Amino acid sequence: MAAHRNATVEEVWDQNFGQGGNLLHVLRGYRLTLEDDSVSWKAYSLLVNPNDIAFPKNCIWVDKVPTKVVVLIGLGPSGFDISREVATIAKEVHITTRAPNVTVGKSDNHENIWLHKMIEFVYEDGKVVFQDGSSVHADTIFYCTGYKYHFPFIETNGIVTIDDDNRVGPLYKHVFPPHLAPWLSFIGMPKQDTPFLTTELQSKWLAHVLSGKVLLPTEEEMMSDVETYCHHMEETGAPKSFTHVLPPNEYRNWLLAQVEMPPLKEWRGRMYRECVKFAKAKLDGYRDQWDDDYWDAVIASQEVNHLSNGQDVGVAEDVA
């Protein structure tokens, strides 16, 4: 989301969110829809390539994005990448994060990037006060906070709900509402994932269920599974907002087993873990450190081993 420092509250914020005063409830609660996100990327494009193109003046969007002081909310992979790109043309970039181990202060590798705790207060003149006690006057605020699940086109009379922690449920294996299965299903719920393989495997499972090739457990058994999963999250201290964050290969192999396909190759799990390690390390230029030759050799070696053991190496690859 991009907001102009000199705009009035009426121009910047949707009237439904209230006017003037403390904007904290908006900053804490608002998440971009897919439509809003497309506009934010237009804002980003203008920031990187300033020109006279104007934004439509509706809802939160304003005339143009200035190129001075930027506040960026969120330090996931996208937020990290955007902060580095924006820093090449912005005077200052201030990143806010909920991460408990954040070191507040200037980045070691960038003279114009600072890390902060989350935002405490935003004034109408653009002054942003952080929880660490520091403050800046921001020209632009970017949200890199992810998405909130929203299904306005579905009416389930309360059978399926989305709570304040972005948990959709109850969903058996993140796909089927037990009371409405198999006639209603949700494909693509897992997040912080490489989605293409997961959604294809979910779709294969759904197709097998609808065609009668695979039978779902009873409604009671599916509900029990959902309750066990949620109870396990509580026991391990996992926040409810992580309900649909799954161990990707474990979940995919479970889906593969449902449709009688072999598990994923070992190198896929290794490659995924390596990607996550690089992303979490948040090192400048980490994408350029990927060793294609090494991974080509790893994949080729495992394929040779599968062939020598008389295993079919092509079946699982059909879902890649």
Side-chain angles (χ1 to χ4, degrees), residues 116-279:
H116 300 271
K117 298 290 187 180
M118 287 302 292
I119 292 174
E120 184 67 28
F121 198 92
V122 176
Y123 292 88
E124 294 179 28
D125 65 353
K127 183 179 180 180
V128 178
V129 180
F130 303 102
Q131 292 177 358
D132 55 44
S134 61
S135 65
V136 297
H137 276 81
D139 295 297
T140 305
I141 296 176
F142 279 109
Y143 269 66
C144 299
T145 53
Y147 298 96
K148 187 173 183 179
Y149 295 113
H150 186 48
F151 306 107
F153 48 86
I154 297 177
E155 176 55 64
T156 66
N157 295 319
I159 295 174
V160 180
T161 61
I162 306 173
D163 66 18
D164 292 338
D165 293 296
N166 219 22
R167 171 185 281 180
V168 181
L171 293 181
Y172 174 65
K173 301 302 182 185
H174 307 273
V175 175
F176 292 105
H179 187 65
L180 300 174
W183 314 119
L184 179 64
S185 58
F186 293 76
I187 300 299
M189 293 299 299
K191 58 183 183 179
Q192 296 187 20
D193 183 25
T194 47
F196 309 108
L197 178 55
T198 300
T199 54
E200 182 164 351
L201 291 176
Q202 288 179 325
S203 300
K204 286 180 180 290
W205 180 37
L206 171 60
H208 277 63
V209 169
L210 294 178
S211 66
K213 295 180 180 178
V214 173
L215 296 178
L216 290 173
T218 65
E219 179 180 339
E220 292 74 18
E221 290 171 332
M222 288 190 285
M223 279 300 305
S224 177
D225 184 89
V226 173
E227 292 167 359
T228 298
Y229 176 78
C230 294
H231 182 65
H232 176 72
M233 289 189 64
E234 293 176 5
E235 287 185 330
T236 57
K240 288 177 66 177
S241 59
F242 276 47
T243 297
H244 305 294
V245 177
L246 308 175
N249 287 333
E250 178 182 326
Y251 180 62
R252 292 168 185 162
N253 282 332
W254 184 89
L255 290 169
L256 283 164
Q258 304 310 299
V259 296
E260 299 183 339
M261 295 181 71
L264 297 173
K265 308 295 172 47
E266 188 270 342
W267 63 263
R268 289 184 179 274
R270 286 177 58 188
M271 182 179 287
Y272 178 82
R273 290 190 294 272
E274 191 74 4
C275 291
V276 170
K277 183 180 76 173
F278 271 104

Side-chain angles (χ1 to χ4, degrees), residues 65-111:
V65 177
T67 57
K68 297 180 181 178
V69 177
V70 174
V71 171
L72 191 149
I73 305 175
L75 192 56
S78 296
F80 179 84
D81 289 344
I82 292 172
S83 71
R84 269 53 187 172
E85 291 289 337
V86 170
T88 62
I89 49 87
K91 179 182 177 181
E92 298 177 6
V93 177
H94 296 266
I95 305 170
T96 72
T97 175
R98 291 182 295 185
N101 57 347
V102 61
T103 300
V104 175
K106 184 179 288 188
S107 169
D108 293 334
N109 301 322
H110 295 269
E111 288 297 319

